[in-house]
Amino acid sequence: MNIPLQHSKNGILYIGFNQTASYLTVGTRAGFSIFRCYPFVQSVSGVNEGSIKLVEMLFASSLVAFVGTGEQPHFSSRMLYIWNTSLRRAICELNFRAPIVALRMNDQRLVIALSNKIHVYDLNCVQVLASYDILCTAGTPEARPAHLENQTLHVGAANPSEPARPPAESPEAARLATLVALAPEQNTLAYPCSATQGQIMVRHLDADEMPSRVVDAHNSPIAALTLNKEGTSLATASIKGTIIRIYNTSTGSKINEFRRGLSKTQIYSIAFSADSSLLCVTCGRGTIHIFATSSPMSSKSFCRIRAKGQCVASFSPDNQYLHVAFTDGFFRRYRLPQPGSGPNAELECEHSLVDATMQTVRP
């Protein structure tokens, strides 16, 4: 659902939607902003004195978590800030031994992915509950006990009295860590766990009777994944980008698969609709594909939208629109076709994400 950006000519470093795609978060070299998607308007202009590479909003609340690029000392890439947009100040700070590469939140959990490890926190008290290695197998121990963790500073330090040594970093593990997914309404966690195969670890964080499971999703390494809001379905794509698959997170069985195309391409994002009836995929071929999840096996998309450039897309809560944010600094809303009306989506509006003259209101 989110696309971190390493290089930008327009100052945008990150774009991502909240859990319901009702708000868009944008990290830039001058701070972060939050835009309401319908009607489209800038609702919050947050920190304005540093480069922000990750921004995660908690539904439509005033709670935002963000991480800097490290270009300014007070916005280290190892420091997580939990920000209250109403109070306009940080209410919590967490410092880590390695750069933070991904953030996910729901009402109960905060998930922080480093370049080699994932930490799960209780959001209410900001206490670490479990830690997982990124690259693992079915035989890997479930989690490191929470009481062994330093819960406020240098998470993962074996002995707080000794100088913390940064862990060895794997570029592929860091890439895979950015793909971590947390279900919005259930504490189901999913992340790639192999650098050479398309294996995904699914953990039901609060269900002791449901064991963690490795899903053999693809032959090639994972490029994108997402969970539906209930955490019952997992959608995946490999680095080949030709096949999209959906799995049951409880059993690991394949529910459906779709063919995006025959040519290899990069998959930017995957997202379920709120009722899980639709699935959208953005890719490097300049096309957004929309699939009906109830379609027969190996079906093609019923709707395609021309979208040149890297982008992330998500459905509006009512399934009537597709919200698309582009790394070139534009937001576009498309009205989706109704049954029997044809395969074409209609561009309804386009807005700039870097227009400083936008009206500002409170969410």
Side-chain angles (χ1 to χ4, degrees), residues 207-240:
D208 295 336
E209 71 280 3
M210 298 180 66
S212 300
R213 179 181 305 279
V214 175
V215 177
D216 293 314
H218 300 269
N219 293 327
S220 302
I222 299 298
L225 64 88
T226 192
L227 291 163
N228 66 347
K229 70 176 185 178
E230 298 87 1
T232 56
S233 295
L234 168 71
T236 68
S238 76
I239 59 174
K240 290 185 177 179

Side-chain angles (χ1 to χ4, degrees), residues 125-142:
C125 59
V126 198
Q127 295 280 322
V128 65
L129 301 176
S131 299
Y132 307 107
D133 290 331
I134 300 295
L135 300 182
C136 59
T137 63
T140 300
E142 276 294 291

Side-chain angles (χ1 to χ4, degrees), residues 202 204 210 213 215 227 231-235 245-256:
V202 177
H204 304 279
M210 298 180 66
R213 179 181 305 279
V215 177
L227 291 163
T232 56
S233 295
L234 168 71
R245 294 191 172 114
I246 301 178
Y247 291 89
N248 182 302
T249 58
S250 297
T251 65
S253 60
K254 184 170 65 176
I255 298 173
N256 210 335

Side-chain angles (χ1 to χ4, degrees), residues 84-156:
N84 186 305
T85 58
S86 296
L87 300 176
R88 298 188 64 82
R89 64 177 177 86
I91 59 174
C92 182
E93 300 176 7
L94 293 172
N95 190 25
F96 295 85
R97 292 166 49 191
I100 301 169
V101 299
L103 301 173
R104 302 291 183 265
M105 285 195 295
N106 63 21
D107 281 334
Q108 295 180 318
R109 296 291 177 261
L110 167 66
V111 175
I112 301 169
L114 310 183
S115 55
N116 66 336
K117 192 175 285 289
I118 292 173
H119 299 290
V120 179
Y121 280 76
D122 184 327
L123 183 60
N124 294 315
C125 59
V126 198
Q127 295 280 322
V128 65
L129 301 176
S131 299
Y132 307 107
D133 290 331
I134 300 295
L135 300 182
C136 59
T137 63
T140 300
E142 276 294 291
R144 192 175 180 188
H147 69 272
L148 295 181
E149 301 287 350
N150 181 338
Q151 297 179 356
T152 54
L153 295 176
H154 303 295
V155 173

